[in-house]
Amino acid sequence: MRKNVVAGNWKMNKTLQEGVALATELKEALAGVEVKCGVVVAPPLTHVASVVEAVKGSVIGVSAQNCAEKEKGAYTGEVSAEMIQSTGAGFVILGHSERREYYGETSEIIKNKIQLVLANGLTPIVCFGEVLAQREAEKHFDVVKSQVQEAMFDFSAADFGKMILAYEPVWAIGTGKTASADQAQEIHAFVRGIVAEKYGKQVADDCTILYGGSCNPANAKELFSNPDVDGGLIGGASLKAADFMAIIQAF
Ligand code: PGA
């Protein structure tokens, strides 16, 4: 069954204390409210275990923003999928455009990370999306197709079914320039189509595809009302409990 999800990507923001306070505020705001979607927060890695503790007993799931490409060993500064799993977190964001752009993450690396995340029973939230020049050159469908195929199509249907997809047009991330509801729907339907070609209609129908890129309380409802947009990956607007709550309540 396809699930609606709203996930907050805190990126490199908030101290540990501020992060725990935000998670606690969110937990309190969600208590007693009817929530019609999955809710996930992705704090910095240093905060993950404490945030897991802070949100216990609530509907909030916790995600890391990245993990190592290796299983374990002499990789100074890296944190493995197994370590993330041991904190009680349930998700890992992979292939975010900031990781692709600033840290040289290739589709091959993202694929290896997905493998490790799945092997540890975690849910990967896999991001993809075109940059502005690619959209202007009308190459966005090709770009999205190869990113999805290269990182996600070497898995069994059962493993693919465990992934959450996130379309994030790079030109919309942190820019205040949101994709229009039609632009989002167009790409999401296209992605669902290539998933159907590869894994069949049922897997495609069940697949959760989030939109990310300047999603906020004012535009969330319109974006989420599209048949193929199953929620959002929220950056800036996830840093304030009230804004994030308003986006959750757009469902
Ligand atoms: P934004 O970020 O909502 O601040 O645009 C989204 C993301 O990068 O996941």
Side-chain angles (χ1 to χ4, degrees), residues 34 39 44 80 84 104 112 132 138 211 236:
E34 197 199 347
V39 178
S80 72
I84 292 166
N112 294 339
L132 185 59
E138 289 177 20
Y211 167 80

Side-chain angles (χ1 to χ4, degrees), residues 121-138:
L122 299 164
T123 300
I125 301 174
V126 189
C127 310
F128 53 89
E130 80 285 358
V131 300
L132 185 59
Q134 292 164 332
R135 177 159 284 264
E136 283 173 348
E138 289 177 20

Side-chain angles (χ1 to χ4, degrees), residues 89-119:
F91 303 79
V92 183
I93 296 173
L94 292 174
H96 191 281
S97 64
E98 286 149 21
R99 300 232 38 105
R100 293 178 192 258
E101 187 183 348
Y102 308 140
Y103 302 97
E105 284 202 6
T106 60
S107 295
E108 191 62 25
I109 293 174
I110 296 160
K111 183 166 75 180
N112 294 339
K113 290 183 176 187
I114 295 174
Q115 177 77 50
L116 288 164
V117 163
L118 289 173

Side-chain angles (χ1 to χ4, degrees), residues 6-14 19 22-23 26 39-49 51-52 55 60-66 84 89-94 96 123 125 127 232-235 238-239 244:
V6 172
N9 175 10
W10 296 0
K11 308 194 179 183
M12 198 171 73
N13 293 294
K14 307 278 179 195
L22 173 59
L26 196 60
V39 178
V40 175
V41 293
L45 268 173
T46 40
H47 311 4
V48 166
V51 168
V52 165
V55 301
I60 306 168
V62 182
S63 177
Q65 298 172 16
N66 181 33
I84 292 166
F91 303 79
V92 183
I93 296 173
L94 292 174
H96 191 281
T123 300
I125 301 174
C127 310
L233 182 54
I234 320 298
S238 71
L239 296 172
F244 194 54

Side-chain angles (χ1 to χ4, degrees), residues 132-210:
L132 185 59
Q134 292 164 332
R135 177 159 284 264
E136 283 173 348
E138 289 177 20
K139 294 239 162 34
H140 44 297
F141 291 107
D142 293 343
V143 170
V144 161
K145 185 173 185 178
S146 18
Q147 287 178 339
V148 169
Q149 285 177 331
E150 287 167 16
M152 285 173 259
F153 278 9
D154 280 346
F155 293 87
S156 66
D159 276 347
F160 180 85
K162 294 173 188 156
M163 303 181 202
I164 292 177
L165 277 58
Y167 168 59
E168 299 207 304
V170 181
W171 48 271
I173 296 177
T175 56
K177 220 173 144 184
T178 323
S180 68
D182 289 349
Q183 285 172 324
Q185 169 56 25
E186 188 181 33
I187 289 272
H188 283 230
F190 171 74
V191 170
R192 209 176 295 286
I194 56 176
V195 171
E197 273 170 33
K198 167 77 184 169
Y199 291 109
K201 188 173 181 309
Q202 190 60 51
V203 173
D205 281 349
D206 288 348
C207 177
T208 294
I209 310 177
L210 309 181

